Amino acid sequence: MQDSVSIPKIVIVGGGAGGLELATTLGHKLGKNHQAQITLIDPNRVHLWKPLLHEVVAGSLDTGMEALSYRAHSSENHYYFRLGAMDGLDKTHKQISLAPLFDHHGKQILKPRKIDYDILVIALGAKCNDFGIEGVHENCFKLDNKEEAEDFHLSFLNRFLQFSETAHDGENVSIAIVGAGATGVELSAELYNAVDRLEQFGVDKIHHQSLQVTLIEAAPRILPALDEGIATKAGKTLTDLGVNICVNRNVKGVSSYTLHTSESDIHADLLVWAAGIKAPAFLSELQLITNRIHQIEVEETLHAIGEDAIYAIGDCAFLKPDHAERPVPPTAQAAHQMAAFCAKNIIRQLKKQPPKKFRYCDHGALVSLGRFQTFGSLLDQLFHKHWLIEGGLAHWAYASLYRQHQLALHGYWKTFWIIVSSLIEKRIKPKLKLY
Ligand SMILES: Cc1cc2nc3c(=O)[nH]c(=O)nc-3n(C[C@H](O)[C@H](O)[C@H](O)COP(=O)(O)OP(=O)(O)OC[C@H]3O[C@@H](n4cnc5c(N)ncnc54)[C@H](O)[C@@H]3O)c2cc1C
């Protein structure tokens, strides 16, 4: 791949579910033939698909196996990778700025930088939303990235180590999770899975009842964004596992080991915040139109409103098409579709063709309770009907979401070999990561 000043510069900020797929597609369609220079920017050296994070927490997934190195991937897929975090935008000079980069000792490695673009795609995702509630940041674990998930995993293991050495009869390890959306629900089940594995490994005093998960939700039911049938079934499976579900509970504040809710205080050894989403706050300072959770409002072409050189996709974009009842949801499914569509519109823009309008295609929703059960609804596009599914079929549909992401990044052959090698690794490695 050669650098050139005469070809258009396409800069994609954020190498997540949407941005990385987009960089890969454009790398092959434009970068390979030097029709454009594609640059992907991310503050991390490796990519891990976010829906896998609750498995990282529980130790059922080894990040070393699943994480993808941006640098290696970019060299094979005809785009450039630059390590850094966007912190500003100069629309007049078509430049973005990157914050200085520090190493893990706090030593500055790179000074602030400016990157030129002809077309900019903002795909820097979202994080969980603490709604300004005091104490969340200081006292709760979050699951916004690999590091946070690994941090919680270690704390989880350490707490059980302590428990196995010092516990008395009838005691347990308590974990309170705020937010009973897909993340909170899936995490609850994965934690019980992890404890069952610890029991199988023969760790002293540990058995299924050693864990007490409490799941707290402000809405009247768990999985408020999903079909009620799925929520009922998932709720029953969780209750059977031992999860204590508290709905209609607003958390007002958090202090050490305690959630202060509208009704009472909930004490737990580990607190997890998995509620809501919000995009990075600096997006609201970029002279782009944003909503109250800092998402960039986009037109149906995925251009930021009023901008012809700036697109936004994925969780950091807000799109409510005229014909639709609801905005496009912040999911991996939507980010995947937006990435594929955005690539097409960028190619049209370079050919000076008019942009097309994005149509979100809802294929349904799935929630996986690990080895215990998977539930979901598939949307029949022909009859506009939801089919509730569970068991093997639902599990297969759930797994295929990640396969789609892998296919977009690696193509058929490499994905095939990745699946084979991960099946082999799963056979020969312990079923729980203990470090
Ligand atoms: C625990 C968990 C479970 C989930 N489960 C599911 C599920 O089962 N199904 C589903 O459909 N969705 C699920 N989601 C949601 C899904 O992961 C997101 O909707 C999806 O990842 C959004 O893709 P994205 O590309 O917009 O953002 P992300 O995938 O979040 O990627 C954003 C990227 O931007 C980078 N970035 C951030 N700030 C900057 C900056 N300033 N400069 C440069 N780069 C930056 C980040 O490092 C990251 O790589 C889950 C989310 C979580 C957290």
Side-chain angles (χ1 to χ4, degrees), residues 6-296:
S6 56
I7 58 174
K9 294 185 174 73
I10 301 171
V11 174
I12 301 159
V13 189
L20 182 56
E21 290 190 14
L22 177 63
T24 311
T25 307
L26 291 180
H28 284 275
K29 299 229 165 166
L30 301 173
K32 192 174 178 179
N33 310 317
H34 312 298
Q35 289 173 270
Q37 184 194 88
I38 320 296
T39 304
L40 177 70
I41 296 168
D42 200 282
N44 300 300
R45 287 183 165 86
V46 295
H47 160 78
L48 185 71
W49 197 57
K50 257 169 106 175
L52 298 176
L53 287 179
H54 61 272
E55 293 180 39
V56 176
V57 168
S60 41
L61 180 129
D62 184 345
T63 51
M65 244 165 73
E66 297 293 335
L68 168 154
S69 151
Y70 286 116
R71 190 70 73 189
H73 188 259
S74 68
S75 69
E76 290 164 5
N77 292 280
H78 317 284
Y79 66 89
Y80 292 91
F81 173 66
R82 296 190 77 162
L83 191 66
M86 175 183 174
D87 66 354
L89 169 67
D90 178 350
K91 288 197 285 181
T92 317
H93 297 101
K94 289 196 162 179
Q95 282 183 328
I96 60 162
S97 53
L98 301 187
L101 200 68
F102 298 92
D103 69 9
H104 54 288
H105 299 298
K107 193 174 144 211
Q108 186 171 304
I109 319 168
L110 292 174
K111 290 184 180 161
R113 289 160 289 162
K114 302 260 186 227
I115 311 277
D116 296 325
Y117 67 83
D118 295 301
I119 293 176
L120 173 67
V121 184
I122 303 180
L124 38 73
K127 296 191 167 191
C128 65
N129 194 344
D130 64 10
F131 305 100
I133 296 167
E134 217 170 293
V136 174
H137 179 67
E138 299 80 0
N139 299 295
C140 295
F141 288 95
K142 292 177 216 105
L143 288 193
D144 285 326
N145 53 47
K146 180 168 122 346
E147 290 67 33
E148 287 176 354
E150 286 172 336
D151 181 33
F152 181 31
H153 172 64
L154 276 183
S155 301
F156 174 82
L157 287 182
N158 287 341
R159 184 64 197 95
F160 270 98
L161 175 66
Q162 215 174 25
F163 180 85
S164 75
E165 296 280 343
T166 60
H168 299 290
D169 280 352
E171 287 182 347
N172 54 34
V173 171
S174 53
I175 301 182
I177 303 172
V178 182
T183 303
V185 165
E186 292 181 349
L187 177 63
S188 304
E190 278 297 339
L191 293 175
Y192 276 98
N193 183 31
V195 172
D196 291 349
R197 297 284 182 219
L198 288 175
E199 183 180 0
Q200 283 167 14
F201 290 155
V203 182
D204 264 0
K205 298 184 191 165
I206 293 182
H207 48 86
H208 193 87
Q209 284 74 22
S210 310
L211 174 67
Q212 175 60 65
V213 172
T214 304
L215 187 59
I216 298 120
E217 170 59 48
R221 67 168 168 92
I222 64 163
L223 299 170
L226 302 194
D227 188 285
E228 197 165 349
I230 302 177
T232 309
K233 290 187 173 217
K236 162 111 185 34
T237 308
L238 289 183
T239 311
D240 290 348
L241 281 176
V243 178
N244 174 24
I245 299 174
C246 305
V247 292
N248 288 316
R249 287 277 189 111
N250 273 306
V251 175
K252 306 274 186 204
V254 185
S255 55
S256 209
Y257 306 110
T258 309
L259 300 171
H260 307 287
T261 80
S262 38
E263 284 180 22
S264 58
D265 286 352
I266 295 172
H267 304 282
D269 299 316
L270 301 169
L271 305 174
V272 187
W273 195 265
I277 63 146
K278 67 175 176 194
F282 83 92
L283 293 180
S284 294
E285 293 157 18
L286 301 183
Q287 295 177 305
L288 298 171
I289 298 175
T290 51
N291 63 11
R292 76 192 152 77
I293 55 166
H294 312 299
Q295 288 170 310
I296 299 168

